[in-house]
Amino acid sequence: MLILLICFCFLQTRAQYWQQKVDYVIDVRLNEKEKSLDGYEKVSYTNHSSDTLTFIWFHLWPNAYKNDQTAFSDQLLKNGNTNFYFSEKEQKGYINKLDFKVNGNTAKTEDHPQHIDIIKLLLPKPLPPGGQITITTPFHVKLPFNFSRGGYEGNTFQITQWYPKPAVYDAAGWHPMPYLDQGEFYSEFGSFDVRITLPKNYVVAATGQLQNEEEKLWLKTKQLIAATQKEKTPLKKTTLAKTKKQVQTQAQKTLAPVIVETKTIQFLQTNVHDFAWFASKDFTVAQDTCLLPSGNTIDVFAYYTSHHWPQWKNSLQYAKDAVRFYSNEIGNYPYKTLSVVQGPQSFGGGMEYPTITVISPTTTAEELEITMAHEIGHNWFYGMLATNERDHPWMDEGINTFYERKYTLQKYGIPEKTEEIFFQTIAGRKKDQPITTTSENFSATNYGLSAYHKTAEWLLAIEKKVGEAAFRRMMQTYFEQWQFKHPQPADFLAIAKNVSRNDDFISELNNSGILARNQPQGFAFVSPVKKNSIKNYLLNPTKNILAFSPAIGVNGYDKLMVGGIFTNYKLPPNKFHFLLVPMYATGSKQLTGLGKINYTATSSGIIRKTDFFVNAARFSMNNFDDTAGNKYTMQFQKLVPGIRLTLKEKDPRSTVVRSIQWKTFLLNEESLRIKNDSLFTPPDTIITQRITTPATNRYLNQLQLVYDDYRALYPFDVRLQVEQSTDFVRPAVTANYFFNYPKNGGLQLRFFAGAFIYLNGKTTSKQFANDRYHLNLSGPNGYEDYTYTDYFLGRNEFEGLASQQMMIRDGGFKVRTDLLASKVGKTDEWLMALNLNSSIPNKLNPLAVLPVKIPLRVFFDLGTYADAWKTGFEGDRFLFDLGLHLPLLQESVNIYIPLFYNRVFGDYYKSTIPKYRFFKTITFSINLYNKHLKAINREVEF
């Protein structure tokens, strides 16, 4: 019986909550010129666990910036950011010169098997429960450019995650983790005594309370007098050109010894788990006191540059309002000081640290206040309630977002529900992830939509259910029980369950999809011609809409077209949606337009989304004026039923899209027929013309298999397409690969290979009848756009600007030989081509001097085809062209200027272009579905 009692007491002791304690004393010096730190750290580590420790994991997070092989670098690339990957050597960072001692004895370290920003400190002697050791080490940090949360930009410094830091050891064991941009931190509570030495003219904002009275007096001189505060104009760009005298003067200054006066300032803070500091020579300092609901008074500071005074002039009031709000809603702010700091432009958004937050420049004061409230709120959710942000981001970002929105509601009223609309769009496409997903396993989109937004909506649903008063008591109870500790999900949920008296809401944490309370309902009519209808929809999204908008269009035959758009397309999209765009053409005097109906079925299986659709269009595509002044306009009509299967990827963070699509093009086209009729018999014959525009029908089946990896580094896609009609099968493969350049831009490579196969043998009549389907090295014209997929100003023009338009298909050459009886490089057998398109650096771009930014690229096309390899062929087997490419309007309009090419192309130009005018050799393409629209469509999947 005694043994059982002892065991029971032991188990009870094991079950009791405990956490380690880590106290820091750090001396650090900022080397302004080298952008580095030299420091010495003393860590007092107290083991409150019931385990004997033989080692301690340490985070060396500056090493995350050491090279492009770290978890940080890999994650940035996965999230579409290549800035760090292509950064210069001097922009990278690291930590070294470590020499760990434990209680004065040298201690060995072991590298982490995977991450260079984690090491294992081997203790010379085991650390028993209740024991304490002192760990010391010097360290040197080369600061990185501010790619993530800290580093430098110019001569401003954001010193964050900068010192060797023990990982958390809790009831679940050790939590060593590499530094990540998406996914935050988990650290032990303790005290900080930090002394910072740096040039005397730097203003420093830091965690905790400043101890130097002389420095406090100096900071008061950095305040702007309100009467003299003015909005500063942006600094003018300085020219790179210098006079010889200026260069000599600068050289003399460089060679002369520079004596930099320094100062050492001290900051103290207890009951925190991190320390950050920020330094700039340009900071303006604003200071005030704030009376909290508890009756305590704290000091509030704002540090910002005078240029951003218009947004920051009320920053102290914003900070005071926020700290009072959170203190009233959750629990008292326990510290003596609170600081808000303007960060650099390279740092996007805001980032929280104990007693201090940094916020990048904003365009409006409202944006600044909302961001500031969110970051100040993190003093509760991450600061005092120190959850594991890496594993449970919803417990800090999500809960804090709930309170940020409550604050925003009080200040600015009901906001638009754009985030919920976007979330429901992702969820409707089966692409969202549960709230409880860990930071590193979230896709970049879902990190914001699920961890932040959905959690806030989930909490709002609980508040609506239990009432505001009960919800406030619940959160205050949570704060009272767990402040200055490491609460886990079960700890929060136990309190929430007790208040709500049920646990129905808990399951929603682990489920994907739209929250039950947020399922859209109702109907709305939305139109830019109906006042506030769009705004009202954004405030209160409905399940169904009918949208109307005026519409206009233009082409060379219909001229100006006017009509309307009728649709139920919206975000989030319905399963069934339609689009109707009827128009009246002022040129052809005909009805024109297009339409689409689509039904989408989603699944959690291998086929994530199935679309059944029918597209339709009717436009004019040619005209003819006879000698009597009569105008004849020919139209096409098409009906395209189809099905598209989008496959599911196992990893939600995948950048791969795989799809299978089938379309059948049912086309009706009018053509021009001229018949000469004789009114009398010879010799008094009078010949008259009878002109008709009879219509003919044709069809085309099209199968596409697409593999698209839109990753940020070296994206590529492969498209296999097989087309079939009455007389032929036309298989082809197109592959695109983009090679990124370190200094922006890159090289686009495109490969095409295709064949034309006649069914039941080739005949002259079949060749003639299927001419428009044949493979082209040069860009196909409007007539050869046999599916009427591209937009052409004038499809069948052979003169004027419209005749110089082509489409990028098949061989993708930029030269045209349309006026030949048989185009150069056209074949009904096989064809292969390689297309290269490279960006040009600004320093080599002659258009860079213009006030409007116009990019310039260079293209090179190389190809061959079946005829060039036949016996007796006298021309070049390989054709090429090379020239300049001007992409305009986000690559919607592309202008090509061929400069060098095979002799056969030159002979064509000389024989067909009067006086060989250079302008006539220029071609262009119009791509209304450019890469930016493709990126949007990947998210919303219309």
Side-chain angles (χ1 to χ4, degrees), residues 200-206 209-224 263 265 267 278 280 283-287 301-303 339:
K200 200 170 185 178
N201 56 348
Y202 272 85
V203 174
V204 175
Q209 289 182 278
L210 177 64
Q211 302 298 301
N212 309 72
E213 294 300 325
E214 181 181 354
E215 184 73 6
K216 293 178 183 179
L217 292 174
W218 179 72
L219 289 180
K220 290 183 178 180
T221 69
K222 302 296 289 184
Q223 298 182 35
L224 286 180
K263 61 185 176 185
I265 53 180
F267 292 87
F278 309 90
S280 172
F283 277 149
T284 290
V285 183
Q287 178 183 358
F301 297 87
Y303 301 81
S339 299

Side-chain angles (χ1 to χ4, degrees), residues 531-547:
K531 187 177 180 180
N532 294 329
S533 64
I534 297 175
K535 180 179 180 180
N536 290 337
Y537 177 77
L538 294 176
L539 290 170
N540 185 29
T542 56
K543 182 177 182 180
N544 298 295
I545 69 165
L546 175 62

Side-chain angles (χ1 to χ4, degrees), residues 740-793:
N740 305 73
Y741 292 159
K743 296 291 186 179
N744 297 320
L747 173 65
Q748 178 72 51
L749 293 92
R750 175 182 180 272
F751 172 77
F752 173 85
F756 195 89
I757 304 169
Y758 287 100
L759 300 176
N760 301 317
K762 180 195 297 189
T763 64
T764 303
S765 60
K766 284 185 179 181
Q767 286 181 293
F768 180 79
N770 295 290
D771 175 75
R772 69 193 307 182
Y773 299 104
H774 293 171
L775 298 162
N776 274 291
L777 269 183
S778 57
N781 55 34
Y783 170 73
E784 293 166 321
D785 179 19
Y786 47 80
T787 60
Y788 294 96
T789 299
D790 275 36
Y791 168 76
F792 276 84
L793 293 175

Side-chain angles (χ1 to χ4, degrees), residues 659-699:
S659 64
I660 304 170
Q661 178 177 271
W662 174 274
K663 286 182 178 180
T664 296
F665 293 84
L666 305 172
L667 299 128
N668 178 276
E669 297 164 299
E670 294 178 338
S671 58
L672 184 70
R673 287 189 184 178
I674 302 175
K675 184 177 181 180
N676 294 323
D677 291 331
S678 174
L679 296 181
F680 304 102
T681 57
D684 298 320
T685 299
I686 298 176
I687 304 298
T688 63
Q689 286 187 332
R690 185 157 54 92
I691 300 175
T692 58
T693 56
T696 57
N697 296 318
R698 61 185 176 91
Y699 77 91

Side-chain angles (χ1 to χ4, degrees), residues 340-369:
V340 289
V341 183
Q342 176 204 310
Q345 193 65 56
S346 60
F347 167 73
M351 185 61 202
E352 70 278 1
Y353 301 94
T355 79
I356 193 168
T357 182
V358 58
I359 301 168
S360 61
T362 60
T363 56
T364 66
E366 179 180 336
E367 180 187 358
L368 174 65
E369 180 177 12

